[in-house]
Amino acid sequence: MIPYLHLNLFFWHPEIPTFGLMLWLAAVAAAFVMDRSFKRSEVDADAVGMVAIAVLAGIVGAKLWHVIDTPSEFRDIGWRVLWDTAGFAWFGGLVFGISALVFQGWWAKIGSLRTLDLAAPAAAIGYGIGRIGCFLSGDGCYGIETNLPWGMSFPNGIEPTPPGVRVHPTPLYEFGMGLLIGWYLWWRGGKRHGTGAIVGEYLMLSGIARFLVEFIRRNPRVIWGLSNAQLASAGSVLVGAGLMWWAAHRPLSDPDAARAGLSKAA
């Protein structure tokens, strides 16, 4: 694996963490998708700025949740755990990122749920791309040992695998699922739907995907044989199902009809 890119620029020899690089690429991709989503829905707002704030909030939330979820690391290295390049929890990033978008949607008078609907495809795609950073750095997000043909070793990762041990490359699984969910949500966003339906589907699909992949990850089990991430995923699925039910009883929005109406008015 390649935890760091070592550059040789004359008198400057920087080390660029591949996790941070992929996180930046994920933010760029999410900003692009959300900007296209805003334009498709004729929303006049700064999508790129919204994504930037949501990403920063998500990073803070992911790190804080990781510290809470694994207090042993805090006991071992103290406050340095907050600045460590490894250790980011999906659920903390989800909660803080969504909270930032909800506030920004309200502030911009777009509507909180509508903003989340527009951001859902970008969130799924950005998450998938970000997982490539985990894969390249070998930061311990890989899965349990496997004999499957595509099993991999991470001997040079930040958290290396034992010699000769092959594990599930779970970041690649999540990368594929993120892109697939993002494509589906983008397609759904162009169809008739009630406000809140798209983010509801995002919470349900991403929650199911994370719940399933946790069975082959190394996270400790806390209750009923489930990890903290699986419990959080189950909560995500329940909230998503509730939003989908609520949206199904709301007036439907038709993106194509809205654009046609604006064209006539012009």
Side-chain angles (χ1 to χ4, degrees):
M1 295 300 100
I2 313 171
Y4 299 94
L5 294 178
H6 302 277
L7 302 183
N8 189 0
L9 304 175
F10 298 103
F11 300 105
W12 186 38
H13 309 285
E15 286 188 344
I16 301 177
T18 51
F19 178 83
L21 177 63
M22 293 309 302
L23 188 62
W24 176 79
L25 289 176
V28 170
F32 174 78
V33 173
M34 190 161 169
D35 181 66
R36 299 306 305 170
S37 187
F38 273 29
K39 288 178 178 176
R40 181 173 68 175
S41 299
E42 303 289 348
V43 173
D44 184 17
D46 181 12
V48 175
M50 285 180 145
V51 169
I53 293 173
V55 167
L56 289 175
I59 291 172
V60 172
K63 176 56 72 173
L64 290 177
W65 190 269
H66 174 74
V67 172
I68 295 171
D69 189 35
T70 55
S72 59
E73 288 192 20
F74 182 78
R75 289 194 297 267
D76 291 341
I77 65 177
W79 293 105
R80 285 192 296 114
V81 70
L82 295 176
W83 319 115
D84 191 12
T85 55
F88 292 88
W90 162 78
F91 185 69
L94 180 70
V95 170
F96 274 60
I98 284 179
S99 299
L101 286 171
V102 164
F103 175 78
Q104 291 180 93
W106 168 79
W107 185 264
K109 296 181 173 57
I110 302 171
S112 297
L113 271 182
R114 189 184 182 202
T115 301
L116 294 180
D117 280 343
L118 294 170
I125 291 171
Y127 176 81
I129 294 175
R131 276 305 183 189
I132 296 296
C134 299
F135 174 75
L136 290 175
S137 64
D139 63 0
C141 288
Y142 45 78
I144 59 177
E145 187 173 352
T146 181
N147 292 320
L148 291 171
W150 55 84
M152 300 183 66
S153 297
F154 294 81
N156 300 315
I158 293 175
E159 190 174 328
T161 52
V165 172
R166 296 166 65 86
V167 297
H168 282 282
T170 50
L172 295 185
Y173 301 168
E174 294 184 88
F175 166 70
M177 290 186 292
L179 294 189
L180 185 61
I181 292 171
W183 172 83
Y184 168 75
L185 295 174
W186 174 262
W187 174 79
R188 277 285 290 125
K191 306 297 181 182
R192 288 166 56 86
H193 61 270
T195 302
I198 307 303
V199 68
E201 292 179 9
Y202 165 72
L203 291 172
M204 174 170 278
L205 292 172
S206 62
I208 291 172
R210 183 57 189 265
F211 187 91
L212 294 176
V213 81
E214 277 293 305
F215 284 114
I216 54 174
R217 285 190 59 175
R218 304 176 307 131
N219 288 334
R221 310 306 174 188
V222 294
I223 186 173
W224 304 324
L226 302 175
S227 67
N228 273 335
Q230 284 178 309
L231 296 175
S233 298
S236 174
V237 171
L238 290 175
V239 172
L243 279 172
M244 291 169 63
W245 178 88
W246 185 81
H249 295 81
R250 304 290 295 175
L252 297 179
S253 64
D254 189 339
D256 293 331
R259 286 193 292 271
L262 286 171
S263 298
K264 287 182 180 179

